[in-house]
Amino acid sequence: MSDENQLLTILMVDDDPDDRLLFKEACEEVRLRNPLDFLENGEQLVDYLKRRGNYADREGAPFPGIILLDLNMPLKDGREALEEIKADAELRHIPIIVLTTSKDEDDILSSYGLGASSYIVKPISLDRLMRVVNSIGEYWVQIVEVPTIEGQADNGDEDI
């Protein structure tokens, strides 16, 4: 369990800077105090979680408490990133909420099939986005217990 004073980090992965800004504003409006991190594509996300490339300095840092993941992004889309994360034993415990514009039934089914915890269609207005952010905050931050795992800090310390 996490320390009650430690707020879990919310990581949003979305290539649209306007969507990232709107999400940040919605979090501020509903007074969600959790730290926010932002990435622009699935390739950055996987590197961030695996502590490689530009994110090698995150070695030992806690993983995000939840990830909000867009599906349609350059380099590595959300589907590919979701599949790679859920196939990794060290990362699959992180709840991933797909937050995308797609209402396509195939996207919904494939996202859940790949291990998404939730699927939310992005609201168009700031007012509706604030309601979504508030609901995410209430459910994923206040109600649900998510594991707090330090990022690869315990590697190699297995009992003999």
Side-chain angles (χ1 to χ4, degrees):
M1 293 294 140
S2 62
D3 177 353
E4 287 189 28
N5 295 325
Q6 182 180 349
L7 295 173
L8 63 89
T9 297
I10 298 171
L11 176 61
M12 182 181 197
V13 187
D14 194 312
D15 63 318
D16 187 326
D18 292 334
D19 285 351
R20 294 191 307 266
L21 181 62
L22 274 176
F23 184 79
K24 184 178 180 186
E25 288 175 5
C27 288
E28 290 168 358
E29 287 291 323
V30 301
R31 293 180 171 82
L32 189 65
R33 299 179 305 126
N34 296 70
L36 300 174
D37 280 340
F38 296 93
L39 299 172
E40 298 177 11
N41 60 63
E43 189 171 279
Q44 288 178 347
L45 172 59
V46 173
D47 285 350
Y48 178 97
L49 294 174
K50 293 191 176 197
R51 285 36 171 159
R52 61 185 185 206
N54 292 335
Y55 307 100
D57 64 337
R58 292 195 48 78
E59 186 73 32
F63 288 110
I66 57 173
I67 297 170
L68 301 174
L69 181 65
D70 189 21
L71 290 182
N72 301 310
M73 299 179 291
L75 300 180
K76 181 178 289 195
D77 71 17
R79 294 164 200 82
E80 295 167 313
L82 178 60
E83 183 173 21
E84 189 170 342
I85 292 164
K86 293 303 180 179
D88 187 310
E90 291 184 345
L91 303 176
R92 71 173 57 125
H93 68 277
I94 302 170
I96 298 178
I97 301 168
V98 172
L99 181 63
T100 189
T101 56
S102 174
K103 294 180 181 180
D104 187 286
E105 188 68 24
D106 289 339
D107 284 337
I108 296 168
L109 286 171
S110 69
S111 294
Y112 281 114
L114 292 171
S117 301
S118 297
Y119 190 101
I120 300 172
V121 176
K122 285 181 190 174
I124 297 170
S125 71
L126 179 60
D127 183 53
R128 286 190 179 180
L129 181 58
M130 286 177 7
R131 284 189 284 207
V132 166
V133 168
N134 195 50
S135 295
I136 289 170
E138 285 182 4
Y139 183 74
W140 288 102
V141 175
Q142 296 175 13
I143 297 172
V144 173
E145 292 292 332
V146 296
T148 302
I149 310 268
E150 298 298 317
Q152 301 181 12
D154 295 328
N155 280 358
D157 291 345
E158 297 177 3
D159 291 335
I160 298 176

